[in-house]
Amino acid sequence: RSGKLTPSQVAKNIIAVLEDCDKSTPPLRAIVQWDQEQIMLMAEASTARYRNKCTLSYLDGIPVCLKEEFKVVPYHHRVGTVYLGTEPETEDATVAKKLREAGAIIIGVSNMHELGTGTTGCNPNKYHKIPRNPYKPNHFTGGSSSGSAAAVAAGLCPVAIGTDGGGSVRIPSSFCGVVGLKGTFGRISCHGSLPLSYSTVSVGPICTSVADAAIVYSILAEPDPLYPYGLKQPKATLSDMCAPDLKGLKLGVDWTFFKACDAEVLSVCEKALKHLQSLGASVVEICLPEMEEARVAHVICILSEMRDFLQPDFNKHFQEMNLDTRANLTLACQFTALDYITANRQRTRSMRFLREIFSTVNCILTPAVPSTAPRIYESDLLTGSSDMSFTVRSMRFMQLGNFTGIPGLVVPVGYSTAGLPINLQVMAKWWDEAVLLRIGLKLEQFRSQTKKPSIYYDILA
């Protein structure tokens, strides 16, 4: 607004950075498709709006990227594969359209785990390669919105959009030390993203701060006639988000569940919880029943739905898929219709348990991921990585939100001794994202400093 900087200047910086970050050793591989002309067109239009004092929204001139799972004109809608999106896209996904209407500058589409089938972000195929964790380039970013989190952590853009069917926004946000919001199921339109799993996936922003996440959420969260699941939603609000304290808020913690993580993660998360108590919130001990049943049922639901949707791909493009994608989809073949029906009965039970829990507490707190980002090995670069025990473990605190549709927010609260980020997760009842953002703002104050990642670009310089 002051005119000291223009969107065009920032865009030029970003283009220089995009050229540079994939020439570095190892290449960052956060943004996998970008177009200099497209970036400059949007930036120049925004610069003119600032000059004429007629900006479109808080996001006008702000650089953003979208996960390759979304259709974004004129990029290829590859969804992490080598065989999809053979032609450039001619139609935007709803979220891409909304971001354009808000004046945001779409700097490109970001890397992702092939077809969203994993939590490492390891994708060795020719179009994607392995995105690097800006904090430690020999570690994974997490998946499946891997490039989105890496782009934000490395400073390429303050906002990225991801999808989350089993922690795919929240896991990479946590491994890369940024903020990730998974909206309530149906809150933000999924129209124009590949419908891999229609009952577990939510869309959400990955941002540098909770305030940024709130701004993006307020612009994207509303019913979309092209997306039936979110039509009956209550109006999105940010009520009480900036309240001076947390007096009157009850934070639910199932201690057995909370403590199922590495000692370092637990220590940082417990201290963050004490910080929230010091601001007037009370911790209420709760019991999350049937978590093992819910975990298995979530896997049955998400894999069965993906297997159903990807049946033609599985038959036709099996040889072109990464090895871990083949393994996951082959595992999905083992589930029966009876398994799927039983899993959905479990969903009804789990939602009923949550309804009772949320009548006594405002939110549920857990660590975000039980461990910090895992190492990348030489073999991963060539053949990919398939570690089922890691996948299962990394999703431990994530699945409840995907299975029952409640919203979740992950916020960085500290670092391991090795310097890798640690995040805490807050979950709330359906449609109550406002309380997550209120608590998230206070959690940010707990982290006395933000360590600069070893890969970091200052696009304002």
Side-chain angles (χ1 to χ4, degrees):
R1 282 182 185 160
S2 69
K4 279 185 194 151
L5 198 62
T6 67
S8 298
Q9 282 169 279
V10 175
K12 282 183 185 129
N13 292 349
I14 289 170
I15 289 161
V17 164
L18 287 170
E19 284 168 346
D20 176 69
C21 67
D22 279 342
K23 287 191 193 120
S24 61
T25 315
L28 181 61
R29 296 306 292 154
I31 308 289
V32 286
Q33 299 182 58
W34 57 278
D35 182 303
Q36 184 169 339
E37 202 180 327
Q38 290 288 325
I39 297 170
M40 286 315 297
L41 274 173
M42 286 180 268
E44 279 155 12
S46 177
T47 300
R49 288 192 294 271
Y50 273 98
R51 200 169 44 236
N52 301 325
K53 301 199 169 21
C54 60
T55 50
L56 298 169
S57 77
Y58 283 125
L59 283 185
D60 206 327
I62 302 296
V64 303
C65 69
L66 292 97
K67 184 179 185 176
E68 201 181 55
E69 200 169 318
F70 294 100
K71 294 180 175 180
V72 183
V73 180
Y75 302 109
H76 295 265
H77 188 215
R78 291 192 178 116
V79 200
T81 70
V82 292
Y83 65 84
L84 286 172
T86 50
E87 294 299 318
E89 206 41 60
T90 54
E91 195 185 343
D92 275 332
T94 297
V95 283
K97 194 162 153 273
K98 276 185 171 308
L99 289 167
R100 279 192 214 275
E101 286 165 0
I105 299 169
I106 297 172
I107 66 165
V109 291
S110 46
N111 206 343
M112 63 178 285
H113 203 107
E114 185 179 59
L115 297 168
T117 54
T119 61
T120 55
C122 183
N123 189 354
N125 74 39
K126 65 179 179 186
Y127 290 135
H128 298 88
K129 302 284 180 258
I130 296 175
R132 302 300 181 133
N133 191 316
Y135 276 90
K136 282 205 181 274
N138 59 342
H139 286 248
F140 283 118
T141 54
S144 63
S145 310
S146 50
S148 298
V152 172
L156 299 180
C157 51
V159 175
I161 308 296
T163 57
D164 190 315
S168 284
V169 158
R170 293 162 293 156
I171 293 169
S173 297
S174 305
F175 282 164
C176 294
V178 290
V179 172
L181 172 66
K182 178 198 95 70
T184 303
F185 176 76
R187 178 62 106 178
I188 298 173
S189 174
C190 276
H191 176 75
S193 69
L194 202 69
L196 292 164
S197 163
Y198 45 84
S199 77
T200 66
V201 173
S202 294
V203 177
I206 295 173
C207 298
T208 32
S209 71
V210 174
D212 288 355
I215 290 168
V216 180
Y217 164 74
S218 67
I219 285 171
L220 297 181
E222 64 174 3
D224 172 12
L226 299 169
Y227 183 63
Y229 299 123
L231 288 178
K232 298 272 192 283
Q233 62 177 279
K235 192 161 171 49
T237 74
L238 300 176
S239 61
D240 289 339
M241 181 178 147
C242 299
D245 53 40
L246 298 175
K247 285 194 179 100
L249 284 186
K250 293 183 175 141
L251 317 175
V253 177
D254 177 329
W255 282 110
T256 311
F257 188 54
F258 192 99
K259 289 178 175 173
C261 60
D262 291 357
E264 253 186 326
V265 172
L266 179 62
S267 162
V268 172
C269 289
E270 281 181 330
K271 285 179 192 142
L273 196 57
K274 286 202 172 76
H275 167 73
L276 297 179
Q277 281 177 286
S278 75
L279 293 166
S282 55
V283 171
V284 177
E285 203 163 326
I286 58 167
C287 169
L288 292 167
E290 300 181 9
M291 285 307 287
E292 186 56 21
E293 290 82 347
R295 186 184 71 73
V296 173
H298 166 262
V299 170
I300 292 168
C301 286
I302 190 169
L303 281 181
S304 299
E305 289 169 9
M306 289 176 89
R307 181 71 181 79
D308 165 54
F309 178 72
L310 294 168
Q311 179 70 26
D313 301 46
F314 190 76
N315 294 338
K316 207 165 139 198
H317 298 286
F318 186 78
Q319 295 304 329
E320 296 162 85
M321 290 175 175
N322 290 337
L323 296 172
D324 70 315
T325 308
R326 294 187 215 175
N328 285 322
L329 291 176
T330 306
L331 168 68
C333 300
Q334 307 307 308
F335 300 133
T336 64
L338 190 62
D339 293 330
Y340 186 70
I341 291 164
T342 310
N344 274 294
R345 287 192 176 133
Q346 178 63 44
R347 195 192 311 249
T348 309
R349 285 178 68 85
S350 295
M351 288 172 82
R352 193 165 66 237
F353 294 142
L354 283 177
R355 223 165 252 130
E356 285 165 21
I357 289 167
F358 284 126
S359 69
T360 60
V361 298
N362 300 91
C363 57
I364 297 168
L365 269 69
T366 69
V369 194
S371 60
T372 52
R375 271 207 56 189
I376 297 171
Y377 292 97
E378 281 302 306
S379 61
D380 300 336
L381 303 172
L382 302 168
T383 52
S385 162
S386 184
D387 181 344
M388 286 295 185
S389 64
F390 170 76
T391 305
V392 168
R393 193 161 185 256
S394 62
M395 287 163 62
R396 174 176 295 149
F397 300 119
M398 300 284 140
Q399 292 172 283
L400 185 64
N402 295 112
F403 188 48
T404 62
I406 59 171
L409 176 76
V410 296
V411 179
V413 286
Y415 303 90
S416 68
T417 44
L420 285 162
I422 293 169
N423 282 32
L424 186 78
Q425 174 174 239
V426 196
M427 293 180 281
K429 67 177 183 291
W430 300 270
W431 316 115
D432 196 7
E433 287 87 349
V435 78
L436 299 182
L437 296 162
R438 178 181 171 186
I439 294 166
L441 278 178
K442 297 292 182 264
L443 269 177
E444 278 182 324
Q445 296 169 0
F446 164 71
R447 201 179 27 151
S448 52
Q449 56 162 159
T450 304
K451 288 186 179 160
K452 200 172 177 180
S454 59
I455 301 176
Y456 186 76
Y457 296 95
D458 183 354
I459 56 167
L460 302 182

